[in-house]
């Protein structure tokens, strides 16, 4: 998987990508619209607070679906397919994995 995983990511009004703009627009014509929504989200969050809020949303999404984007409200608003993401069912897979890890750790500590 290349970096960034979605092909691009946006901080403020700067879109960061390893690809040339022409290549991005040819391969994923709606990706720039997706990143544009993130620029507005950044503005509406008054700038830097967007970053920890996004991280929290990504963690929430991972817990709910095992995927950082599928249940992330920021990504859903920007459009999952436009961002190159797949919608995934809510299974609480990530939260279950955390619970198993925590149970294993507690079991180890009790021995
Ligand atoms: Zn996105």
């Amino acid at each position: 998987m290349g970096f960034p995983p979605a092909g691009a990511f946006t901080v403020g009004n700067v879109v960061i990508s390893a690809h040339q703009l022409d290549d991005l627009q040819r391969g994923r014509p709606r990706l720039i619209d997706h990143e544009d929504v993130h620029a507005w989200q950044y503005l509406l969050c008054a700038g830097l607070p967007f970053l920890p809020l996004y991280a929290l949303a990504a963690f929430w999404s991972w817990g709910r679906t095992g995927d950082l984007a599928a249940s992330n409200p920021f990504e859903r608003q920007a459009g999952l397919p436009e961002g190159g993401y797949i919608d995934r069912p809510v299974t609480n897979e990530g939260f279950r994995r955390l619970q198993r890890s925590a149970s294993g750790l507690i079991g180890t500590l009790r021995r």
Side-chain angles (χ1 to χ4, degrees):
M1 180 184 289
F3 180 83
F9 70 94
T10 300
V11 178
N13 61 357
V14 177
V15 177
I16 299 162
S17 176
H19 305 283
Q20 296 294 316
L21 181 60
D22 289 346
D23 295 337
L24 268 182
Q25 287 181 319
R26 212 176 2 257
R28 304 257 295 281
R30 295 171 64 200
L31 181 61
I32 294 301
D33 296 335
H34 176 95
E35 298 305 327
D36 186 53
V37 173
H38 285 318
W40 284 103
Q41 291 168 341
Y42 187 89
L43 181 71
L44 291 171
C45 291
L48 288 178
F50 172 80
L51 298 176
L53 289 172
Y54 183 91
L56 194 63
F59 173 74
W60 170 256
S61 177
W62 176 81
R64 298 278 287 163
T65 64
D67 181 86
L68 294 171
S71 230
N72 179 332
F74 292 108
E75 293 299 348
R76 294 193 73 85
Q77 184 188 27
L80 292 178
E82 291 81 358
Y85 299 111
I86 297 169
D87 199 3
R88 299 185 192 278
V90 173
T91 60
N92 292 319
E93 177 188 329
F95 290 131
R96 285 175 212 225
R97 227 185 291 171
L98 271 183
Q99 186 182 30
R100 281 194 300 271
S101 296
S103 296
L105 182 63
I106 289 168
T108 302
L109 293 174
R110 284 186 176 161
R111 280 183 216 139

